[in-house]
Amino acid sequence: MSAVVRSWWACRSLRLRLTAAAAVVMTAGLAGAAALLVVWLHASLISGLDQTALQSAQVVASYEDSDRIPAEVPLTDHGEVAVQVVDAGGKVSSSSANLRGRPRAFTFPASESSIPRAHTVHDIPVGGSGTWRAVGVPAGTARNPVTVYVAVPTESVDHGLAQLAAGLATGVPAVVALLTGVVWLLTGRALRPVDAMRAQTAEITASDLSRRVDVPPADDALGRLARTFNDLLARLDAATQRRRRFIADAAHELRNPLSTLHTRLEVAAHHPGSTDWKTLAPGLLRETERLARLVDDLLQLARLDARPRLRTRPVDLDEIVFTEVRQARRRTRLVIDQHAVGAARVEGDEDALARVVRNLLDNALRHATTRIDVSLRTLDGTARLVVADDGPGIPEADRERVFGRFTRLDDARARYTGGSGLGLAIVRDTVTAHHGSTRIEDNRPGARLVVLLPAEDR
C-alpha cells in the first residue's frame, strides 16, 4: 500500500510541476506579447501623429510660398494643433490661434531632407503641460526664408495606451489563471495512465516478473513507453528464468560427483579393513578432476556473464593451436592432424582464446572415432579455425542447442567421459566477446566446429 501511495504522490507532484511550469511559460509569453503589443501600438500611433504634423506643415508652407499666409494660421484639424512660422531672425511672423502672441516655442532647425524628422517637445504653452510631436519645414522665398513649425499633442495616444496597458494588466493574469486550470485538467487526464502504470509497476516484485503494465490504446509516446517497459520486463523475466535454470543445473551437476565421493569415502570409513585404497583412489581422483573441471567451467561462465574487459593484444592464433594440439595428443591415442594450420593473427585475450581451442579439442576427443583434423587460415580479413572429428556428428536440428549451457546430446556418454555440457557454451560466449561467430557444419562423417574471428594483417 505504501508503494501505491508513493506512486500516487509522485504522479501528483509531477502534475503540479508540469502545471507550474506551464503557468510560468504562459505568464512570460503573454506578458512579453502584451509588452510587444503596447510598444508596437505606441510606435504606430506616434508615426500617425508625425504624418499629421507633416501634412499640416506642408499645407502652411504652401501658404507661405505664395505669400498668402495670414497673421493667424487657419487650421481645419480637429483637436489642438500648434503652429508657428518663424523668420530668419527668429521672430514669430504668424501662428495658430492657440499660440497668438506667444514667444517662439520651437528651437530645433528645419529639416533639409525630403522627409522631415519629427521631434518630441515639451511645455508648449497650450492647454496643460504634456508631450508634443513637432516637425519643422523650410518655406518662404529666397529673400524671405521662414520655417514652419507644426506640433500635435500625444496626450490622446498616451491615454489610450495607458488604458490598454491597464486592461492587459488585468486580463493577462485572468487568462493565465484560466489556461492554468485547463492545463491542470489536461495534465491530470494525460497522466492518469502514467499513474496507473506506476501503481502497476510498484506491485511488480523480483519473485514475479511475469506481470505486465497496461498499454494505452493510443499509439503515442506513453504507449511506446509502456511497450518498451513491457519488453524490459520480458527480458528481465527471461534472464531471471535463465539464471534460475543455470543455478539448478549447476547444483545438479555438482551434486553428482560430490555424492559419488561422499558415498565411496563413507563406505571406506565404515569398513577400513576391507577397503582397497589402490583400487579406490583412481576412481576418487577421476571424480575430483571432474569436479575441478566443472567448477572451472562455472567460474569461466560467471566471468563471461559479468562482461569483463578482455586483455586484448595481437595474438598468433596458430601458436595457440599448436600448443593446445600438443597437450591434447598427450591425453589420447587418436590421430590429430594439424598440417592445415596456417599463420593467423587476431586481436584478443590469449588465455581466453587458448580456452576456446582447448574446449573444441576436448569436444572432438569425446566424439571422434579415429582422427581429428585441425585447420586454420586467413581469408578476407577473417581467421577461420576448424576442428573436425569423424564421430557420429550433430543433427542439424541440434546445432544451435549444443551451444547452450549444460546441453548434452548423449547424456550418459558425456558424463562418463567427463563432459559437463559447458565447453561449447564457453566457446560461443568467448568468441562473441571477441566479435566473432561460431557454427557447426557436416564433416561426413562427424562434425566440423567452425570459429570465425576478425584477423589482423601481419
Side-chain angles (χ1 to χ4, degrees), residues 239-271:
T240 302
Q241 295 296 332
R242 187 166 57 249
R243 184 191 64 182
R244 289 172 181 170
R245 285 194 301 270
F246 178 74
I247 293 174
D249 291 339
H252 179 72
E253 294 293 333
L254 289 171
R255 184 178 61 183
N256 288 332
L258 287 174
S259 298
T260 301
L261 287 173
H262 178 78
T263 301
R264 292 183 179 182
L265 290 174
E266 186 178 27
V267 171
H270 284 84
H271 305 282

Side-chain angles (χ1 to χ4, degrees), residues 248-312:
D249 291 339
H252 179 72
E253 294 293 333
L254 289 171
R255 184 178 61 183
N256 288 332
L258 287 174
S259 298
T260 301
L261 287 173
H262 178 78
T263 301
R264 292 183 179 182
L265 290 174
E266 186 178 27
V267 171
H270 284 84
H271 305 282
S274 60
T275 301
D276 185 358
W277 289 101
K278 291 183 179 180
T279 304
L280 182 62
L284 295 178
L285 183 60
R286 284 194 301 271
E287 292 297 329
T288 55
E289 289 175 350
R290 177 186 168 194
L291 187 60
R293 285 194 298 271
L294 179 58
V295 171
D296 187 46
D297 288 344
L298 290 173
L299 288 175
Q300 182 67 18
L301 284 173
R303 294 191 188 101
L304 291 172
D305 287 342
R307 299 184 182 274
R309 296 184 62 183
L310 298 173
R311 299 186 297 274
T312 58

Side-chain angles (χ1 to χ4, degrees), residues 405-428:
R405 300 178 181 185
F406 299 107
T407 299
R408 298 186 182 93
L409 301 184
D410 186 351
D411 190 74
R413 182 185 176 192
R415 289 183 186 279
Y416 178 75
T417 56
S420 63
L422 295 176
L424 294 184
I426 293 174
V427 168
R428 168 155 284 186

Side-chain angles (χ1 to χ4, degrees), residues 354-376:
R355 182 64 175 268
V356 168
V357 178
R358 190 182 314 132
N359 286 2
L360 291 174
L361 290 171
D362 287 344
N363 180 78
L365 288 173
R366 283 194 294 271
H367 297 93
T369 303
T370 60
R371 65 181 289 118
I372 299 172
D373 295 294
V374 182
S375 66
L376 175 65

Side-chain angles (χ1 to χ4, degrees), residues 16 132 343 352:
L16 287 171
W132 298 68

